Amino acid sequence: MLIEMPRHTEIFGSVKIHEMQRILKIDSGGFANSRAKDIPFDEIKDVFRRFAIIVPVKDEKIHLLEGVLRAIPFDCSVIVVSNSRRDAPDTYKMEKDMVKNLHDLTQQEILIVHQKDPDLGFAFYEAGYDYILDKDTVVRDGKAEGMIIGMLLAKSLGKDFIGFADADNYIPGSVREYVMDYAAGFCMAESPYSMVRLHWRYKPKVVEDKLYFQKWGRVSETTNKYINLLISTRVGFETRVVITGNAGEHALTTKLADILSYSAGYSVEPYHFICLFDGFGLDAECITDADAANAGIEIFQIETLNPHIHEEKGDEHVNNMLLGSLQTIYYCKLCNDLVRSKVLEELGDLLEFDEPKENIIMPPIGEIDTHRFVKLLESTAETFTRCKQGITECEAEKEEYLEEESVRTL
Ligand code: GDD
């Protein structure tokens, strides 16, 4: 792959935010130069082997989900975390059947679980991580909650890199590119604490019967503006470095995933920045992790070659996402009165009260014993399946567990 070098890096405390980098060639010819880095495919493939891609899904068209799963490179493990309906018609059953069939045909490692499985909730409870649970000890609804489930499964597989791909993507080829872009970012990273966030070159919309290749969505443009204002007012120099405030398509090293906190629902992506600013930003009150602070935390922002075409979910959904995003900025510890007042102005009628609500923040997952967590899932959770080469593992594990249990009862 040939990828532009970042022209500038904004250094904000221990957080290094690289300016946007364009993909020049997906399949390159080994010609590196001072403005572009060539990354041989062998290096990309090496990352794939240490990579899990999580696909959160909630009631998407099965064709779209299938396209996304088929596009993820074979060497990556795939983790589907579904919050789709279970009452008739049981969408989750369709997803699971499709996943098993795909595994039978391809032998790629795929794990799937349902977010509302009571035994999954119980596994979180047993792990002492009840921040993700509702009052009935079931995992709450929300994309971030699905992402956390997926990250624990990725950790249990021993993966070093964790990435995300939405399930409602109409162009499977773009998903393949996203995963390659993530890998390219990790090949460039100097710190073990790094994150790759994708900026879509275009997000086409149908305007008066024609495709219009729009560059920015309303939410991301606004989120970026206020994250940049936050940095600018702290540093004293204006910056527009952040262009991926809401990047749903992103990936991070497991080391970084272990020390981040996570904001619920769709506010998860802008909160990555806020969490890093609070814990590692310029003048942060207390450093969250000395090792990460010394190594530095690197954020790559890569512009994809492919456009992004996905399901549109309506104005209410967009407004909620905007509200969730700006709430995270408002409550950043480094946010000053100027930024807060601008955020309030921007939110206007979207605000129910004078002050925005605080989003639910879930603490780091680094301390959870993922092997114990997954062992419990394998032995109890009806919706959990791990398809790995040759076998569908949870079925074998479940039988083994039931046999052990019956011996114990005798
Ligand atoms: N497991 C799970 N649980 N998945 C969910 C849930 C949930 O409660 N809610 C939504 N999803 C899945 C969707 O099915 C989809 O695959 C993905 O999460 C993204 O959700 P969308 O509802 O399609 O979000 P969007 O397209 O409006 O926004 C996306 O892009 C934004 C940036 O433009 C998301 O990725 C946002 O997080 C992102 O900020």
Side-chain angles (χ1 to χ4, degrees), residues 231-248:
I231 304 174
S232 305
T233 51
R234 272 277 155 184
V235 177
F237 290 87
E238 192 174 336
T239 180
R240 294 194 187 163
V241 68
V242 172
I243 55 156
T244 56
N246 288 91

Side-chain angles (χ1 to χ4, degrees), residues 54-60 65 80-84 113-116 140-147 149 164-169 197-198 200 203 217 219-220 245-250 265-270 308 310-314 317-318 321 325:
I54 296 166
V55 182
V57 58
K58 186 173 183 198
D59 298 319
E60 303 294 353
L65 174 65
V80 180
V81 183
S82 171
N83 194 11
S84 298
V113 70
H114 197 277
Q115 189 159 334
K116 295 290 184 186
R140 276 191 312 271
D141 288 330
K143 185 190 168 206
E145 287 72 359
M147 288 164 59
I149 299 166
F164 300 92
D166 287 351
D168 59 343
N169 194 321
R197 302 172 73 93
L198 299 187
W200 301 314
K203 205 174 165 186
V219 180
S220 41
N246 288 91
E249 261 67 26
H250 67 275
Y266 292 107
S267 53
V268 58
E269 286 99 7
H308 188 79
H310 70 142
E311 286 282 80
E312 292 295 338
K313 310 249 160 80
H317 172 74
V318 170
M321 205 180 275
S325 301

Side-chain angles (χ1 to χ4, degrees), residues 316-332:
E316 196 186 335
H317 172 74
V318 170
N319 284 341
N320 281 336
M321 205 180 275
L322 183 62
L323 185 62
S325 301
L326 295 192
Q327 277 169 185
T328 62
I329 300 173
Y330 186 88
Y331 286 105
C332 177

Side-chain angles (χ1 to χ4, degrees), residues 169-190:
N169 194 321
Y170 275 89
I171 315 288
S174 71
V175 177
R176 176 172 186 270
E177 189 214 324
Y178 298 164
V179 179
M180 294 187 71
D181 297 350
Y182 295 152
F186 293 127
C187 290
M188 288 183 291
E190 286 171 7

